[in-house]
Amino acid sequence: MPPRRRLAPDQRRAELLDIGAQLFAELPYEQVQMDRVAERAGVSRALLYRHFPKKSVLFAAIYQRAAEQLQAEIRIEPDLPLTDQIAAGLDAHMDYFAANRHTVLAANRDLAGDPVVQAIVLGDHRAMHDVMLAATGLSGAQRATMSAALTSWLMFVHTLCLEWLEHDRLTRDQVRTVSLGALAGMIAALEDSSDGR
């Protein structure tokens, strides 16, 4: 156990989140023990539980922080094609997924019924959707149609990424290629239909 150090509450919370994030990345959700988090942090169980009263609360805080960091990496670059902008956001998410496989699977499998964690997952989808939709520059009926299509595409990518992480039947490159190919096909189909073809 590391020596105990006095930290301000916000510093202690950040440290506990860092240590918890490491453990959730290393182990499946059911194998992460709050005692182990406290031990690695060099704090008492009582102090840990003062910050995070149960494991799912700690996990939700970790996942929320990760979602916010990923969302901060997604920017609208008007000079770039839409697919290039989306590829950058997809790559940032896939980097996180690859490095935190157990965490992502926990959020979508072990905690699939946890309303707090699911709100974070859906919030990340919504943030991606909103940035992508804004980047299209569309308005009116075309914007509404693209909004529905992007929502569906994000769910498709979400399912494909979970398949990759859980079963390894696809490589990361295949997931990326299929996801961006589906996006390009969707955009082309919408453009064709709006042209009356």
Side-chain angles (χ1 to χ4, degrees):
M1 176 184 283
R4 295 195 178 193
R5 296 167 297 125
R6 282 181 120 17
L7 295 174
D10 58 337
Q11 292 175 312
R12 178 67 71 196
R13 187 176 195 279
E15 181 182 65
L16 292 171
L17 289 174
D18 289 342
I19 290 167
Q22 291 168 8
L23 281 167
F24 283 117
E26 292 168 10
L27 300 167
Y29 181 80
E30 69 275 5
Q31 292 180 26
V32 175
Q33 302 298 321
M34 292 291 272
D35 287 351
R36 184 71 176 122
V37 177
E39 182 184 331
R40 273 205 193 178
V43 301
S44 67
R45 287 182 59 196
L47 180 58
L48 172 60
Y49 281 103
R50 200 174 309 147
H51 286 277
F52 304 103
K54 57 184 180 176
K55 185 166 73 168
S56 62
V57 173
L58 172 62
F59 182 91
I62 290 165
Y63 212 66
Q64 179 65 53
R65 185 177 69 166
E68 289 168 1
Q69 290 168 348
L70 286 169
Q71 290 159 21
E73 293 186 37
I74 302 165
R75 298 176 192 88
I76 297 176
E77 302 286 348
D79 298 333
L80 291 176
L82 176 62
T83 51
D84 289 353
Q85 296 180 60
I86 293 172
L90 180 63
D91 286 338
H93 277 74
M94 291 183 72
D95 287 345
Y96 176 79
F97 293 170
N100 297 275
R101 177 179 172 272
H102 290 302
T103 308
V104 176
L105 289 175
N108 292 279
R109 297 292 189 249
D110 301 88
L111 296 169
D114 185 301
V116 174
V117 173
Q118 292 317 298
I120 297 166
V121 172
L122 293 175
D124 185 50
H125 284 199
R126 174 53 59 187
M128 281 281 291
H129 169 277
D130 291 350
V131 168
M132 291 163 62
L133 187 60
T136 67
L138 296 173
S139 60
Q142 286 183 317
R143 183 182 180 88
T145 301
M146 180 62 77
S147 176
L150 288 174
T151 297
S152 300
W153 180 78
L154 284 164
M155 290 308 298
F156 166 76
V157 173
H158 179 89
T159 304
L160 195 61
C161 284
L162 290 179
E163 178 69 22
W164 161 50
L165 295 173
E166 193 166 17
H167 302 293
D168 280 328
R169 293 180 187 139
L170 297 161
T171 66
R172 177 195 168 122
D173 285 345
Q174 287 173 323
V175 172
R176 186 183 192 277
T177 300
V178 169
S179 296
L180 293 176
L183 176 67
M186 179 187 79
I187 291 172
L190 289 176
E191 287 173 349
D192 287 350
S193 66
S194 68
D195 290 342
R197 283 182 261 172

